[in-house]
Amino acid sequence: MSIEVMVKVIQRAPESGSKLNCMIIMANWCNDEGDSLRPSIALLAEAMRVSRSQAQRVLHELMPATPEDEAAGNWWFRVVGNDKGGAPGMTRRYKMNVARLDECPLLPEFERAAARRRNKSETGRIGATGRMDATGRMDATSRAAPMRPDSSEDSSIERERARDDGKDFEQARRAWPTGFADSRKDALKVWLALSPEDRVEASSEISRFVDANKSAGRTLICSFAAYLSEHRWTALPYRRPTPSSSAAATEPKASPRPSRPTAFQRANPHLYPELFGQPKPDAEAAA
């Protein structure tokens, strides 16, 4: 496992979708040099949450198409051992092109975040663009520079995250099968646009939505952002509500059925006016 290579893939790889997902998973299995990479197609498909043929197709698209591409370094993965599969039970050995990742520039959002970090280390504050003058004071440009959080996301999203705390969103995102490979920024924007009731319903219906897709034979499930923006949980069959335990506890109990009078009670009806509707002798005398 190489955290360094995974960070490079996330911050530098000019790929998206299934290709980026495949590169992140392969980076998780290789070492810092891109070697020691021996995944089977079945294991790769399981990690990518796609079919075996889909995983094989995506991996082949990341490999050199011609010998010229391989010689020019125009590839992300190439076979370096067991190209025919080797003995039964053996898998191919791949190499990841870490050198090509090093040559790729940072993606724009990560470049902006890196510039803010460099600026902070040079000036001691975020967003300051000037330098101290001869008197030891910051110039007007530096004092007027706005303070911004050191993040690659929009400040509006950061403010919403601060208010919402993001706990419910992160919990729902972890429950989604492809949540780690989807765009977190797109999903968060849609999440914040939903009403609180829709958020609760969307989170509670994730497992039913995934089970419905699996039962229909689908191996590919839509992104978390598409699930939220299109309200796809509303297409699920109606779920009948089950009576809660509190409702059952407050429901009035039926009174027990009265038993038949005994022989003694029938012989002495004046002692049991509640059964025969006759007043007691003492009550009649008092009246």
Side-chain angles (χ1 to χ4, degrees), residues 267-285:
N268 301 276
H270 61 282
L271 298 177
Y272 302 97
E274 67 275 6
L275 296 178
F276 301 99
Q278 298 179 4
K280 292 184 179 180
D282 295 341
E284 293 176 357

Side-chain angles (χ1 to χ4, degrees), residues 169 187 190-191 194 202 223-233:
F169 170 75
V190 181
W191 176 270
L194 295 176
S223 65
F224 190 38
Y227 169 78
L228 296 174
S229 62
E230 299 174 10
H231 293 69
R232 296 197 177 187
W233 65 88

Side-chain angles (χ1 to χ4, degrees), residues 19 178 276:
K19 292 183 179 180
T178 60
F276 301 99

Side-chain angles (χ1 to χ4, degrees), residues 22-258:
C22 179
M23 292 183 66
I24 293 175
I25 293 172
M26 296 284 276
N28 183 44
W29 291 335
C30 71
N31 57 21
D32 292 343
E33 289 74 31
D35 296 319
S36 187
L37 195 54
R38 301 179 179 87
S40 65
I41 296 298
L43 180 60
L44 180 61
E46 182 178 358
M48 292 177 61
R49 275 71 166 179
V50 297
S51 64
R52 185 188 180 104
S53 58
Q54 173 75 357
Q56 190 172 23
R57 181 184 65 80
V58 173
L59 180 59
H60 283 178
E61 290 178 356
L62 298 172
M63 296 173 64
T66 61
E68 291 76 13
D69 290 340
E70 183 173 0
N74 188 20
W75 51 272
W76 292 115
F77 301 100
R78 67 184 180 93
V79 178
V80 295
N82 294 336
D83 55 340
K84 302 298 183 182
M90 299 294 291
T91 58
R92 293 180 176 181
R93 182 161 59 92
Y94 298 88
K95 179 177 177 59
M96 189 171 187
N97 196 349
V98 180
R100 184 182 178 187
L101 281 174
D102 293 333
E103 295 175 356
C104 293
L106 287 172
L107 297 177
E109 55 269 28
F110 294 104
E111 178 60 37
R112 290 193 294 268
R116 287 194 293 271
R117 285 193 294 269
R118 289 193 299 268
N119 188 39
K120 179 182 178 181
S121 62
E122 293 175 359
T123 64
R125 61 179 292 184
I126 303 175
T129 57
R131 296 294 184 270
M132 288 187 179
D133 56 16
T135 63
R137 297 179 179 179
M138 297 294 293
D139 58 19
T141 305
S142 301
R143 290 195 299 271
M147 300 287 288
R148 294 193 60 186
D150 185 14
S151 172
S152 60
E153 299 183 4
D154 296 337
S155 58
S156 59
I157 296 179
E158 286 293 334
R159 289 194 297 270
E160 290 292 342
R161 286 181 58 195
R163 289 194 293 266
D164 191 58
D165 201 19
K167 292 182 179 180
D168 295 338
F169 170 75
E170 292 298 340
Q171 183 178 0
R173 184 168 172 259
R174 286 193 297 268
W176 191 255
T178 60
F180 75 99
D182 293 341
S183 172
R184 182 183 184 281
K185 184 176 180 181
D186 294 343
L188 181 58
K189 283 184 177 179
V190 181
W191 176 270
L192 295 175
L194 295 176
S195 65
E197 294 78 10
D198 286 342
R199 296 178 191 175
V200 173
E201 188 175 359
S203 301
S204 62
E205 295 289 3
I206 287 178
S207 58
R208 276 217 309 152
F209 183 82
V210 175
D211 293 340
N213 279 265
K214 290 182 178 179
S215 63
R218 299 187 183 94
T219 57
L220 297 178
I221 301 179
C222 64
S223 65
F224 190 38
Y227 169 78
L228 296 174
S229 62
E230 299 174 10
H231 293 69
R232 296 197 177 187
W233 65 88
T234 58
L236 293 172
Y238 175 72
R239 175 186 290 178
R240 294 182 178 179
T242 57
S244 61
S245 57
S246 60
T250 57
E251 185 178 355
K253 297 182 179 179
S255 58
R257 185 177 181 181

